[in-house]
Amino acid sequence: MATASQQQNDNDISHNTNPSKAYTDAVKAGIIPKDYLTGGPHVNTHETLSSVKPVFILETDLFGDVKPSPDQYLTHLELYNSIDSCIPKSHLKGLQRVRGMWRIYPDSDIDRETLITNNITVRHKLINVYSANPKSSEYSTHLYLRVRVKDVPCSADDGQILRAIESEGKCSVHKLNRERLRVDGLLTNCQTGDRILFCDPLENPYQE
């Protein structure tokens, strides 16, 4: 009669010196997918972000125009715990800081709406939560013209596009982005070929 210890050892395939048998046993036990060796790359779905759009906060709303000292920096852990007063922190899929702006990724639209409506209290101060990237607005104001350049191969040099716009259009280009495909609300690394430029109004508009 097999003991509990023997049964546990029988289920443990790590000691198996036969790779083929170990793989078969692992598939039967549901430890690895059936097509693990023959299929494409396997992605842990628990490690991917949901299709819910992020919300944003700015550190300037917390510190003002004064640059904080290193011991005053807002950390991931502090923000994570602060958000718990608005929504359960277990509902967060990601926190990302980029040059003084934080992207907050909730796992549902309900949590996203709650964050936007109620805002977040950090260090006893109510911080505004933005539904869209507040730093991108500087390129969408009337001060800059948003130009989409189409029908250009992805392999084409961006410098050639810049020179053509600046020389023929007689304007200054402040920023050029390569558009990337968005699928189910998530930004992929697949380029569409379109270039998005933010520039001064054209002195010599192009004619079709």
Side-chain angles (χ1 to χ4, degrees):
M1 180 177 179
T3 64
S5 176
Q6 288 175 326
Q7 290 177 346
Q8 182 177 4
N9 290 336
D10 290 340
N11 292 331
D12 180 12
I13 64 170
S14 61
H15 65 281
N16 198 322
T17 57
N18 186 333
S20 178
K21 185 176 186 304
Y23 172 73
T24 302
D25 292 343
V27 171
K28 288 181 178 179
I31 299 174
I32 59 176
K34 185 176 181 180
D35 62 342
Y36 186 80
L37 295 181
T38 58
H42 293 271
V43 178
N44 185 347
T45 56
H46 297 289
E47 298 295 329
T48 59
L49 295 177
S50 65
S51 60
V52 179
K53 292 182 179 180
V55 294
F56 307 82
I57 65 170
L58 294 174
E59 289 186 351
T60 52
D61 291 340
L62 176 62
F63 300 113
D65 296 329
V66 179
K67 184 177 180 180
S69 58
D71 62 322
Q72 294 176 322
Y73 287 164
L74 181 62
T75 65
H76 284 77
L77 180 59
E78 182 180 5
L79 182 57
Y80 181 79
N81 289 326
S82 297
I83 292 174
D84 191 48
S85 63
C86 184
I87 64 171
K89 55 189 177 184
S90 60
H91 292 188
L92 289 177
K93 298 289 287 184
L95 287 175
Q96 181 187 26
R97 182 186 183 276
V98 181
R99 294 189 294 275
M101 182 186 73
W102 288 83
R103 289 186 177 93
I104 302 171
Y105 294 87
D107 65 0
S108 72
D109 287 319
I110 294 177
D111 289 328
R112 184 177 187 273
E113 293 172 3
T114 301
L115 287 168
I116 296 172
T117 303
N118 297 341
N119 296 317
I120 301 171
T121 300
V122 180
R123 300 179 186 178
H124 307 291
K125 184 176 182 179
L126 192 63
I127 304 300
N128 186 45
V129 176
Y130 300 88
S131 60
N133 186 340
K135 289 195 172 183
S136 67
S137 61
E138 62 180 299
Y139 298 108
S140 60
T141 64
H142 66 279
L143 297 177
Y144 297 110
L145 180 67
R146 186 176 186 271
V147 178
R148 177 184 293 271
V149 180
K150 301 179 67 68
D151 301 327
V152 178
C154 291
S155 57
D157 180 26
D158 292 341
Q160 294 179 337
I161 299 174
L162 288 175
R163 287 190 291 273
I165 295 292
E166 291 180 338
S167 62
E168 299 296 331
K170 305 298 182 183
C171 73
S172 297
V173 177
H174 297 275
K175 188 173 183 179
L176 183 150
N177 293 330
R178 285 180 171 239
E179 185 183 60
R180 284 171 168 76
L181 185 65
R182 189 177 290 273
V183 179
D184 296 331
L186 297 178
L187 195 64
T188 69
N189 200 37
C190 178
Q191 298 183 17
T192 66
D194 290 3
R195 272 65 158 192
I196 309 298
L197 292 82
F198 296 92
C199 57
D200 293 331
L202 302 176
E203 293 183 10
N204 301 321
Y206 289 101
Q207 300 295 329
E208 293 185 0

